[in-house]
């Protein structure tokens, strides 16, 4: 079956007060003079959304379900019927049944659809993406909303943009200690333009790579200060930012993630595994044969016929 989506909905968990270093004018509206309030959410893992090859419909394999992985091969077209402007139910989507034939991941039938234009707007590198963003704004007529956000992780910072309702999900999909929305707009062009401008500021990146072991127990206090220091840098550079209101996403079960070991797909081919969860781009599974939790990068499997459900 084709893995179409790792399905999760982050849920509020707790709040933490973080001490800060001399950044009083850039605190969250909810913070005190020498601290900021960090909102924590758990991942809220629901399962894997799978599409039988040749069928437009999908099915959900929930936590505890048994699966086997196989070596990823052909990638399938990214198009589906879900809304671009608001949250939808992934289990009600219809997916394309054809292989992808473009570098952007679409078949010839869907390469000019609004979903393809959206993908080109937000994944094409550099200024070339902005023409697609203009097309997207014209197509959607101002429907929906977008955010620009900054993330701190182990002393590094990155900038990103996404649809406003996907911010928590985007945090959960990438390495982060904490992050905050800094700009909101109804224009994908404005959001992507600001992201590119911030990405040219020294110290900012559009992507952060991390070893699996570094995802556990990041230095929250240090990175809260890193986030605020860099927000201050952006304000000095002329960016009109929203107040920093940091949040982070944590695994549903921290100890399980902490004890997991990273594995390549090729290491667990044709092994019966129990579906456990998801965090920071990794699918978490339990290998009962070896009594070990393993973490596999979801990006290795997504949009490919790589998962078999075990009854």
């Amino acid at each position: 079956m084709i893995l179409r989506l790792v399905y999760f909905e982050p849920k509020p968990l707790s709040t933490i007060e973080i001490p800060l270093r001399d950044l009083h004018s850039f605190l969250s509206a909810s913070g005190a003079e020498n601290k900021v309030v960090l909102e924590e959410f758990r991942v809220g893992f629901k399962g894997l959304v799978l599409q039988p090859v040749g069928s437009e419909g999908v099915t959900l394999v929930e936590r505890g379900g048994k699966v086997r992985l196989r070596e990823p091969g052909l990638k399938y077209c990214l198009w589906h019927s879900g809304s671009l402007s608001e949250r939808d139910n992934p289990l009600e989507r219809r997916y394309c049944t054809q292989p992808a034939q473009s570098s952007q991941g679409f078949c010839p039938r869907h390469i000019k659809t609004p979903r393809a234009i959206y993908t080109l707007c937000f994944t094409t590198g550099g200024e070339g993406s902005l023409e697609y963003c203009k097309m997207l704004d014209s197509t959607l007529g101002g429907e929906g909303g977008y955010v620009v956000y900054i993330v701190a992780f182990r002393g590094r910072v990155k900038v990103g943009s996404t649809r406003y309702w996907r911010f928590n999900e985007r945090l959960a999909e990438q390495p982060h200690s904490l992050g905050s929305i800094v700009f909101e707009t109804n224009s994908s062009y404005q959001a992507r333009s600001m992201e590119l401008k911030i990405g040219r500021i020294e110290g900012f990146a559009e992507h952060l790579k991390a070893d699996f072991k570094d995802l556990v127990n990041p230095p929250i206090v240090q990175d809260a200060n890193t986030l605020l220091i860099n927000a201050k840098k952006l304000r000095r550079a002329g960016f009109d930012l929203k107040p920093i209101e940091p949040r982070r996403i944590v695994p549903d079960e921290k100890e399980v993630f902490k004890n997991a070991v990273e594995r390549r797909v090729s290491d667990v081919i044709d092994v019966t595994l129990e579906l456990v969860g998801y965090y920071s781009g990794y699918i978490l599974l339990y290998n009962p044969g070896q009594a070990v939790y393993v973490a596999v990068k979801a990006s290795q499997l997504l949009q490919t016929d790589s998962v078999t459900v075990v009854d």
Side-chain angles (χ1 to χ4, degrees):
M1 302 180 81
I2 306 165
L3 175 58
R4 285 305 196 174
L5 178 72
V6 180
Y7 187 18
F8 60 94
E9 292 184 354
K11 306 295 183 183
L13 183 63
S14 62
T15 58
I16 301 174
E17 291 186 344
I18 305 292
L20 296 173
R21 299 191 301 260
D22 193 29
L23 289 164
H24 308 323
S25 61
F26 297 95
L27 302 185
S28 156
S30 58
E33 186 173 280
N34 62 346
K35 59 192 174 187
V36 67
V37 175
L38 169 66
E39 290 187 87
E40 280 194 327
F41 295 74
R42 65 177 181 84
V43 170
F45 177 70
K46 291 180 176 289
L48 302 183
V49 176
L50 304 176
Q51 176 192 12
V53 175
S55 170
E56 291 186 343
V58 292
T59 185
L60 177 69
V61 179
E62 299 178 328
R63 176 187 172 94
K66 293 181 173 61
V67 299
R68 288 188 178 184
L69 306 183
R70 52 197 239 174
E71 199 68 51
L74 193 68
K75 282 191 174 287
Y76 284 80
C77 176
L78 290 170
W79 183 88
H80 63 76
S81 61
S83 173
L84 283 170
S85 58
E86 60 185 4
R87 188 182 300 278
D88 70 309
N89 182 349
L91 302 180
E92 296 177 353
R93 294 173 183 169
R94 293 179 295 104
Y95 276 87
C96 181
T97 62
Q98 299 301 308
Q101 294 185 29
S102 72
S103 59
Q104 294 80 27
F106 292 86
C107 71
R109 178 184 175 189
H110 293 120
I111 190 61
K112 295 183 179 180
T113 59
R115 182 157 299 281
I117 296 170
Y118 170 87
T119 300
L120 288 164
C121 168
F122 282 94
T123 64
T124 303
E127 299 293 330
S129 65
L130 297 181
E131 289 304 313
Y132 295 110
C133 296
K134 289 179 182 178
M135 293 171 61
L136 182 64
D137 288 345
S138 176
T139 299
L140 297 182
E143 291 183 4
Y146 306 89
V147 299
V148 179
Y149 61 90
I150 56 175
V151 163
F153 180 72
R154 295 191 176 276
R156 296 172 289 161
V157 287
K158 67 152 282 187
V159 59
S161 59
T162 189
R163 286 166 287 178
Y164 78 97
W165 50 267
R166 283 211 75 231
F167 174 55
N168 283 351
E169 294 172 19
R170 284 298 296 127
L171 282 184
E173 292 168 348
Q174 62 187 293
H176 73 284
S177 294
L178 67 174
S180 178
I181 292 172
V182 295
F183 181 70
E184 295 183 12
T185 176
N186 287 328
S187 166
S188 65
Y189 177 84
Q190 287 184 350
R192 193 77 172 98
S193 294
M194 177 173 278
E195 178 188 3
L196 292 173
K197 289 176 183 177
I198 293 176
R200 290 193 288 267
I201 302 292
E202 183 179 0
F204 282 86
E206 288 191 67
H207 305 282
L208 288 180
K209 294 184 178 180
D211 291 334
F212 181 74
K213 59 181 174 55
D214 290 335
L215 299 175
V216 179
N217 298 325
I220 301 301
V221 174
Q222 172 188 323
D223 283 338
N225 284 278
T226 296
L227 192 76
L228 272 293
I229 287 168
N230 281 278
K232 186 175 183 178
K233 179 194 293 188
L234 292 178
R235 289 181 184 274
R236 286 176 171 170
F239 290 93
D240 183 17
L241 307 184
K242 290 171 59 67
I244 297 300
E245 297 181 345
R247 64 183 61 181
R248 70 168 177 161
I249 317 297
V250 299
D252 289 319
E253 296 185 22
K254 293 182 183 180
E255 287 304 309
V256 169
F257 185 76
K258 182 178 179 181
N259 293 322
V261 292
E262 183 179 8
R263 289 287 185 264
R264 297 186 299 271
V265 173
S266 58
D267 295 330
V268 290
I269 291 296
D270 292 330
V271 176
T272 297
L273 304 166
E274 295 179 8
L275 188 58
V276 175
Y278 174 83
Y279 185 67
S280 200
Y282 287 87
I283 299 171
L284 302 177
L285 306 126
Y286 180 66
N287 182 343
Q290 297 182 353
V292 63
Y293 289 98
V294 299
V296 176
K297 283 187 176 179
S299 59
Q300 297 179 12
L301 301 168
L302 283 164
Q303 321 312 334
T304 66
D305 179 15
S306 55
V307 180
T308 299
V309 179
V310 180
D311 294 331

